[in-house]
Amino acid sequence: RFWIQTQFISAELTEDQLLLLLESLERKIVSQQLNLVRTQVTLGSFQGGTDYFNSSNISIMRTQEDQMLTIVLVELSGVQLQENGSAIPRNKPFESIAALLVALYALHLLSD
């Protein structure tokens, strides 16, 4: 089962995203990122919504560096975050966001 998830992750996440996930693991912010992505992403929003990731909730991160790392990670998953707190999905990001969510979940389980 883990092999299947790993194959899905490697097929959808870029090398840059994997490096950012490693940095997140080192910074011990994977749990916060998982909670943020999990609570902000809804299935209904993938079906044409334009506001499923509210970047104003990024303030839960401890430092500005943690916030920026998380923003870049999310944007690499196909979600363009706006200054007003809304988000615009680019090019059907469901698979990329799903892969990010699976990766964060797996790292969270492995790091506990």
Side-chain angles (χ1 to χ4, degrees):
R1 190 176 199 189
F2 183 72
W3 180 82
I4 292 171
Q5 290 177 342
T6 304
Q7 294 304 312
F8 178 67
I9 292 168
S10 65
E12 296 296 335
L13 296 181
T14 65
E15 185 175 335
D16 289 339
Q17 287 174 297
L18 294 173
L19 291 172
L20 289 172
L21 285 171
L22 179 60
E23 187 173 343
S24 297
L25 192 58
E26 291 171 354
R27 288 178 164 274
K28 300 180 192 266
I29 60 172
V30 169
S31 178
Q32 292 170 307
Q33 290 172 327
L34 174 63
N35 288 333
L36 182 69
V37 172
R38 183 174 39 202
T39 58
Q40 295 301 309
V41 176
T42 63
L43 289 176
S45 298
F46 287 127
Q47 300 170 356
T50 60
D51 194 24
Y52 61 84
F53 194 97
N54 188 336
S55 61
S56 64
N57 291 332
I58 203 83
S59 61
I60 66 166
M61 306 307 289
R62 290 185 303 234
T63 67
Q64 188 171 1
E65 291 84 14
D66 292 348
Q67 290 175 8
M68 289 307 299
L69 188 146
T70 303
I71 288 169
V72 171
L73 188 59
V74 169
E75 287 185 344
L76 285 172
S77 294
V79 177
Q80 182 179 350
L81 301 175
Q82 305 294 303
E83 288 183 22
N84 67 2
S86 65
I88 299 172
R90 297 179 309 219
N91 302 325
K92 299 182 182 180
F94 178 75
E95 292 84 8
S96 296
I97 289 289
L100 177 60
L101 192 59
V102 169
L104 287 168
Y105 183 74
L107 287 174
H108 174 70
L109 288 178
L110 293 171
S111 65
D112 277 351

